[in-house]
PDB file of all heavy atoms in Angstrom:
ATOM      1  N   VAL A  22      88.464 112.682 109.253  1.00  0.00           N
ATOM      2  CA  VAL A  22      89.289 113.665 108.566  1.00  0.00           C
ATOM      3  C   VAL A  22      89.153 113.506 107.051  1.00  0.00           C
ATOM      4  O   VAL A  22      89.033 114.480 106.314  1.00  0.00           O
ATOM      5  CB  VAL A  22      90.761 113.501 108.993  1.00  0.00           C
ATOM      6  CG1 VAL A  22      91.665 114.438 108.212  1.00  0.00           C
ATOM      7  CG2 VAL A  22      90.906 113.762 110.487  1.00  0.00           C
ATOM      8  N   TYR A  38     101.338 109.558  96.122  1.00  0.00           N
ATOM      9  CA  TYR A  38     102.510 109.746  96.990  1.00  0.00           C
ATOM     10  C   TYR A  38     103.807 109.482  96.248  1.00  0.00           C
ATOM     11  O   TYR A  38     104.759 110.254  96.328  1.00  0.00           O
ATOM     12  CB  TYR A  38     102.388 108.827  98.212  1.00  0.00           C
ATOM     13  CG  TYR A  38     103.446 109.085  99.266  1.00  0.00           C
ATOM     14  CD1 TYR A  38     103.243 110.048 100.247  1.00  0.00           C
ATOM     15  CD2 TYR A  38     104.644 108.370  99.279  1.00  0.00           C
ATOM     16  CE1 TYR A  38     104.209 110.290 101.226  1.00  0.00           C
ATOM     17  CE2 TYR A  38     105.617 108.615 100.244  1.00  0.00           C
ATOM     18  CZ  TYR A  38     105.395 109.579 101.212  1.00  0.00           C
ATOM     19  OH  TYR A  38     106.362 109.821 102.170  1.00  0.00           O
ATOM     20  N   LEU A  53     104.415 115.215 110.955  1.00  0.00           N
ATOM     21  CA  LEU A  53     104.971 115.957 112.094  1.00  0.00           C
ATOM     22  C   LEU A  53     103.879 116.321 113.093  1.00  0.00           C
ATOM     23  O   LEU A  53     104.096 116.282 114.296  1.00  0.00           O
ATOM     24  CB  LEU A  53     105.615 117.270 111.606  1.00  0.00           C
ATOM     25  CG  LEU A  53     107.020 117.252 111.039  1.00  0.00           C
ATOM     26  CD1 LEU A  53     107.406 118.681 110.674  1.00  0.00           C
ATOM     27  CD2 LEU A  53     108.023 116.688 112.035  1.00  0.00           C
ATOM     28  N   PHE A 173      84.767  86.589 120.081  1.00  0.00           N
ATOM     29  CA  PHE A 173      85.356  87.575 119.170  1.00  0.00           C
ATOM     30  C   PHE A 173      84.754  88.931 119.490  1.00  0.00           C
ATOM     31  O   PHE A 173      83.557  89.145 119.336  1.00  0.00           O
ATOM     32  CB  PHE A 173      85.083  87.183 117.718  1.00  0.00           C
ATOM     33  CG  PHE A 173      85.792  88.051 116.716  1.00  0.00           C
ATOM     34  CD1 PHE A 173      87.110  87.814 116.377  1.00  0.00           C
ATOM     35  CD2 PHE A 173      85.137  89.121 116.107  1.00  0.00           C
ATOM     36  CE1 PHE A 173      87.781  88.612 115.460  1.00  0.00           C
ATOM     37  CE2 PHE A 173      85.796  89.932 115.182  1.00  0.00           C
ATOM     38  CZ  PHE A 173      87.114  89.667 114.856  1.00  0.00           C
ATOM     39  N   PRO A 184      90.172  92.921 103.646  1.00  0.00           N
ATOM     40  CA  PRO A 184      89.547  91.657 104.048  1.00  0.00           C
ATOM     41  C   PRO A 184      89.365  91.482 105.547  1.00  0.00           C
ATOM     42  O   PRO A 184      88.760  90.510 105.968  1.00  0.00           O
ATOM     43  CB  PRO A 184      90.556  90.628 103.540  1.00  0.00           C
ATOM     44  CG  PRO A 184      91.871  91.318 103.660  1.00  0.00           C
ATOM     45  CD  PRO A 184      91.607  92.762 103.355  1.00  0.00           C
TER      46      PRO A 184
END
Side-chain angles (χ1 to χ4, degrees):
V22 175
Y38 188 87
L53 278 181
F173 187 83

